[in-house]
Amino acid sequence: MKYAITGGIGSGKSHICRLLQKHGIDIYDCDAAAKRIVATSEKVRRQLQECVGMEVFHTDGSLNKPMLAEFLLKSDENTAIVNHIVHPAVAEDFVQSGKQWMECAILFSSGFNRLVDRVVCVTAPLEVRLDRIVKRDGITREKAREWIDKQWPQQKVAELSDFVIVNDGTADLESQIGAIINE
């Protein structure tokens, strides 16, 4: 059985993954893999430069994150272009990893749900998510809300999932995780 942990930005997916790791579960991190692939795959780097512009990478070879973020936020078409470049490489990397669990924020919109048998959605109230994002990323609440609004609605993702973990800061996470592991 293959499982995915998903949920919107600021829901606490990474925290849940750290708790799962304490139970001996090795989790493939799609975001980290995407960053690694963008940093190391000449094919992906070339395609991003062709679509976004040569300046998408600094002269030292590192990703120009603000430029890429600006490009992504300009239109859904731009997001689709970048996703069409990065997602297939990440999907292939996950399959080759042999891991049974993945963490993926955009599981359904990326189509990565086809790679797993069960989906666990991590949810949190909007205000909690906004506070987490602002604190973690040092951005404004408006920018955090903009990122949240670019993703699928939390309720829709939860409805498509097999399990839901409520990560509101007060719910017992260990009992929720235990129920999933015992399934």
Side-chain angles (χ1 to χ4, degrees):
M1 294 283 284
K2 293 196 182 281
Y3 291 81
I5 306 292
T6 192
I9 185 172
S11 64
K13 294 176 303 301
S14 296
H15 178 66
I16 298 301
C17 288
R18 284 190 295 277
L19 294 175
L20 285 164
Q21 288 169 335
K22 289 181 181 179
H23 291 274
I25 295 171
D26 192 15
I27 300 171
Y28 180 90
D29 182 336
C30 287
D31 285 346
K35 289 173 186 170
R36 175 178 45 80
I37 290 166
V38 166
T40 61
S41 168
E42 287 304 318
K43 177 182 175 185
V44 169
R45 293 171 68 83
R46 185 181 70 255
Q47 290 174 329
L48 286 173
Q49 287 175 321
E50 289 169 1
C51 295
V52 181
M54 294 302 287
E55 302 82 24
V56 74
F57 293 102
H58 295 292
T59 55
D60 67 1
S62 64
L63 182 65
N64 183 341
K65 292 178 187 177
M67 181 186 181
L68 182 59
E70 184 180 324
F71 180 81
L72 291 169
L73 288 173
K74 279 185 182 172
S75 72
D76 290 340
E77 182 181 336
N78 285 0
T79 301
I81 289 168
V82 171
N83 289 346
H84 185 71
I85 294 167
V86 177
H87 289 176
V90 174
E92 180 181 339
D93 192 61
F94 170 69
V95 170
Q96 291 178 354
S97 77
K99 294 184 181 182
Q100 292 181 286
W101 289 72
M102 78 160 64
E103 175 186 357
C104 183
I106 54 172
L107 185 77
F108 294 105
S109 62
S110 67
F112 283 18
N113 58 301
R114 295 173 307 198
L115 303 173
V116 299
D117 303 297
R118 298 278 189 273
V119 176
V120 179
C121 177
V122 180
T123 65
L126 177 61
E127 287 303 314
V128 171
R129 293 173 66 192
L130 287 168
D131 289 343
R132 288 174 180 164
I133 299 165
V134 167
K135 183 178 179 183
R136 180 190 71 202
D137 298 343
I139 60 174
T140 65
R141 290 178 72 78
E142 294 75 24
K143 183 60 86 175
R145 183 60 193 251
E146 192 175 343
W147 279 106
I148 287 172
D149 290 345
K150 284 297 233 180
Q151 295 181 337
W152 280 22
Q154 179 172 253
Q155 184 61 35
K156 181 177 180 180
V157 174
E159 288 169 3
L160 292 170
S161 300
D162 300 291
F163 305 97
V164 174
I165 293 178
V166 177
N167 186 16
D168 59 5
T170 60
D172 181 3
L173 298 177
E174 281 299 331
S175 66
Q176 295 178 78
I177 289 169
I180 294 166
I181 291 172
N182 292 331
E183 185 269 341

